[in-house]
Amino acid sequence: MPPHRSTSTRVRRVNIPFVPAANRPLVDGFSRVVTYLRVSVTDRCDLRCVYCMSPEMTFLPRKDLLTLDELDRVCSAFIARGVRKLRLTGGEPLMRRGFLDLVRSVARHLGSGDLQELTLTTNGTQLSRYAADLAAFGIRRINVSLDTLDATAFRKITRGGDLAVVLEGIAAARAAGLKVKINTVALRDLNEEVFEELVEWSHARGMDITLIETMPLGDTGEDRTDRYVPLSRVRSQFEKRYTLVDLADTTGGPARYVRVTETGGRLGFITPLTHNFCQTCNRVRISCDGTLHTCLGQDDRVDLRKALRTSSSDEMLNDAIDGAMRQKPLGHDFVIERRGQSPALSRHMSVTGG
Ligand code: SAM
Ligand code: SF4
């Protein structure tokens, strides 16, 4: 017989602290905490990389893009809710008019200590002009995309870009005191013979480098099965020549890092297609039209622009963010497409931001 319980037993009330939505941490349905936000500030770009854009891109009408004030407001709302690292990207972020004003404004959260890192991903073409300002506003590290050191191959991969301009940009960034990490997308027949050269070149200049598997995002006018290089194979090739020491370093994303003993530098592998990194996912993305994507590899979306434009208070915005957090999928389901099929997701990386 269970002991008799008196109905008058006094229950101790537990005080659950009330946290207003504007400061509530971003926790999804799988208890993952979001602390990293990537924001695409434009879908436009001065290059047309074969894995990212089609030669004839149609860009969004300007009215559909978040304004600089809206970008600042949405970044600030996420920072208030626990985002500690913020990456500005695109398209090419340095092509967005007023971009430096946005950086200066968002950087106030670095000053207050609410934001730990403000960074950007760029193709480097405008760095000679802007690197000193970026450093002055508090940016310490940037990622620069560079897929080859050969001017002809660079022109082919970017459909017309000038390698010399990017190399000058990288030099300017380093001279301004910015720490540069190189991002290289692995592309069959375009750069797979030059990974070692790129790694040695980067490490000789004190720059980390990350190799990235091409992801099936958006129509690029190319068949991606022809370009896909599994990085597991690249790593095996490296191991024939170098000693790779696994590092525990992680950003909560799909990159895994090794130290290359011979060069002393760090090399990352981003393998969204061959490894599952979703259990530790700590990030969400906002595309340049204000759509919140809680998973790069799924088509989930929540319209934040509507909330931003409907009300000047952040209540609607925070409700929309809460709704998105509840829907954040457990993981992506990228599959590299069979020849001739459409991409896994129709949106381009340049809209969502890499
Ligand atoms: N324009 C800037 C740049 O190129 O660095 C920032 C935007 S770009 C979309 C961000 C990153 O995404 C770049 O490193 C680029 O190489 C990568 N990227 C673009 N399309 C990709 C794809 N389909 N698969 C893998 N990486 C991609
Ligand atoms: Fe432009 Fe970057 Fe896309 Fe290349 S990868 S087309 S530089 S947005």
Side-chain angles (χ1 to χ4, degrees):
M1 282 272 289
H4 172 75
R5 285 185 194 279
S6 151
T7 49
S8 66
T9 303
R10 294 185 62 195
V11 180
R12 271 190 66 205
R13 190 187 294 275
V14 179
N15 283 326
I16 300 172
F18 170 73
V19 183
N23 303 106
R24 208 177 292 146
L26 299 163
V27 184
D28 75 0
F30 303 97
S31 303
R32 293 171 300 188
V33 182
V34 167
T35 54
Y36 183 5
L37 174 67
R38 292 189 183 204
V39 181
S40 172
V41 300
T42 176
D43 58 341
R44 286 156 206 259
C45 187
D46 50 344
L47 302 180
R48 293 284 182 279
C49 301
V50 292
Y51 48 82
C52 179
M53 292 195 178
S54 68
E56 305 302 329
M57 288 289 286
T58 311
F59 295 108
L60 292 167
R62 284 199 194 281
K63 67 171 178 36
D64 287 355
L65 297 189
L66 292 190
T67 64
L68 294 178
D69 284 346
E70 287 165 346
L71 284 165
D72 182 62
R73 197 175 141 203
V74 78
C75 289
S76 301
F78 272 87
I79 293 165
R81 300 195 59 177
V83 160
R84 294 292 167 261
K85 179 169 173 181
L86 201 154
R87 178 175 299 280
L88 299 171
T89 178
E92 176 45 41
L94 290 167
M95 296 290 289
R96 175 78 197 247
R97 195 172 302 149
F99 179 69
L100 285 185
D101 295 332
L102 177 68
V103 172
R104 185 182 11 220
S105 176
V106 175
R108 72 188 183 280
H109 299 292
L110 290 171
S112 71
D114 289 339
L115 186 64
Q116 281 161 8
E117 183 170 31
L118 178 60
T119 183
L120 78 148
T121 303
T122 171
N123 63 23
T125 58
Q126 311 287 318
L127 275 175
S128 298
R129 196 162 151 206
Y130 294 122
D133 285 334
L134 293 172
F137 294 150
I139 289 194
R140 295 286 164 261
R141 303 192 300 169
I142 59 172
N143 288 357
V144 181
S145 301
L146 180 64
D147 300 325
T148 178
L149 292 167
D150 177 86
T152 308
F154 185 85
R155 207 171 304 119
K156 189 168 175 189
I157 293 170
T158 58
R159 297 196 182 101
D162 183 348
L163 175 69
V165 172
V166 173
L167 296 183
E168 279 163 26
I170 292 173
R174 296 178 59 228
L178 295 172
K179 200 163 164 39
V180 176
K181 178 166 83 72
I182 301 296
N183 277 348
T184 303
V185 177
L187 302 160
R188 190 151 89 212
D189 296 335
L190 286 176
N191 68 358
E192 63 183 330
E193 304 303 324
V194 301
F195 297 146
E196 292 181 5
E197 182 194 2
L198 272 165
V199 168
E200 300 231 358
W201 181 85
S202 304
H203 288 178
R205 288 158 181 78
M207 301 186 287
D208 292 343
I209 174 166
T210 299
L211 304 178
I212 306 173
E213 272 174 2
T214 162
M215 288 180 260
L217 291 175
D219 186 4
T220 59
E222 278 233 331
D223 183 347
R224 249 175 291 232
T225 41
D226 287 347
R227 293 285 176 225
Y228 177 63
V229 181
L231 290 186
S232 48
R233 199 174 75 204
V234 176
R235 188 178 164 141
S236 303
Q237 284 297 119
F238 265 90
E239 280 168 339
K240 289 185 187 150
R241 180 138 180 226
Y242 303 98
T243 309
L244 306 185
V245 180
D246 282 313
L247 299 174
D249 314 9
T250 170
T251 58
R256 296 290 169 263
Y257 293 97
V258 297
R259 174 85 50 207
V260 182
T261 306
E262 290 75 4
T263 61
R266 224 164 60 120
L267 166 62
F269 296 94
I270 298 191
T271 56
L273 303 174
T274 53
H275 281 104
N276 203 311
F277 52 88
C278 302
Q279 320 78 278
T280 55
C281 183
N282 62 353
R283 59 198 58 192
V284 294
R285 295 174 167 78
I286 299 175
S287 51
C288 52
D289 61 355
T291 309
L292 175 60
H293 298 277
T294 54
C295 178
L296 182 62
Q298 298 274 7
D299 236 344
D300 66 296
R301 53 184 66 218
V302 168
D303 182 5
L304 299 184
R305 188 181 64 201
K306 188 164 171 231
L308 283 162
R309 293 189 178 170
T310 307
S311 165
S312 58
S313 109
D314 283 348
E315 213 175 310
M316 258 183 92
L317 178 63
N318 278 308
D319 283 350
I321 295 171
D322 282 336
M325 290 305 297
R326 283 194 292 274
Q327 285 170 28
K328 182 168 161 66
L330 185 54
H332 68 67
D333 51 9
F334 278 129
V335 233
I336 196 76
E337 300 312 293
R338 276 192 292 281
R339 189 177 299 268
Q341 286 191 335
S342 55
L345 292 177
S346 57
R347 63 176 193 254
H348 285 91
M349 186 75 129
S350 49
V351 175
T352 326

